[in-house]
Amino acid sequence: MRFCTVINCMDGRVQLPVIQYLQNRFNCEYVDVISEPGPNRILAEQTNSTLIASILSRLTISVDKHQSRQIAVVGHHDCAGNPVSKETQLEHLHKAVQFIARRYPEHTVIGLWVDENWRVEEVC
């Protein structure tokens, strides 16, 4: 069994497109999902230490118990948890990916953008 991990928004519209993309991208059977509203902003700004600790704790479970070696962070169009422009969302996404990559340097960490048509694009 091969796992990868996604730190995704809780928005139900992005779940299936992202899971399907990651199954294909990393040739994995299962995708562990860590969901929060606007996770790219949470990880980029790093102002809520409780949420950061919670995300990292869940990520550690996926990495340690499921041997996940690939991690994706997601931002998306029309995000209620991060209601800013696409450009700002992408800035958050880049910072979030850098933050996670520093914590897990031996893992592949990517950033995904989900557009207004629910298409997934790898942006970092």
Side-chain angles (χ1 to χ4, degrees):
M1 292 185 292
R2 288 188 28 89
F3 284 83
C4 68
T5 309
V6 65
I7 303 169
N8 201 355
C9 187
M10 64 179 275
D11 190 323
R13 299 173 292 180
V14 300
Q15 300 300 319
L16 287 177
V18 167
I19 289 169
Q20 292 166 345
Y21 180 89
L22 291 172
Q23 286 174 320
N24 289 324
R25 168 67 165 83
F26 292 127
N27 191 31
C28 63
E29 192 172 358
Y30 301 106
V31 179
D32 284 345
V33 178
I34 300 166
S35 69
E36 294 290 342
N40 55 337
R41 184 184 75 184
I42 293 167
L43 294 170
E45 293 179 349
Q46 300 173 34
T47 56
N48 188 326
S49 60
T50 302
L51 280 179
I52 297 286
S54 175
I55 291 168
L56 292 176
S57 172
R58 290 177 277 163
L59 183 53
T60 298
I61 291 169
S62 181
V63 166
D64 290 349
K65 300 299 181 184
H66 292 160
Q67 287 74 51
S68 175
R69 296 292 171 252
Q70 298 91 14
I71 303 164
V73 183
V74 178
H76 72 94
H77 168 77
D78 193 34
C79 182
N82 192 7
V84 295
S85 69
K86 178 181 178 180
E87 292 75 25
T88 302
Q89 282 241 27
L90 291 176
E91 288 174 24
H92 290 160
L93 194 52
H94 285 277
K95 288 179 182 176
V97 165
Q98 291 171 350
F99 174 73
I100 295 298
R102 282 192 304 273
R103 301 264 187 198
Y104 294 89
E106 67 282 1
H107 292 68
T108 301
V109 183
I110 64 170
L112 301 177
W113 173 253
V114 183
D115 70 16
E116 63 276 5
N117 296 307
W118 316 115
R119 289 184 304 235
V120 180
E121 175 187 3
E122 193 168 326
V123 294
C124 55

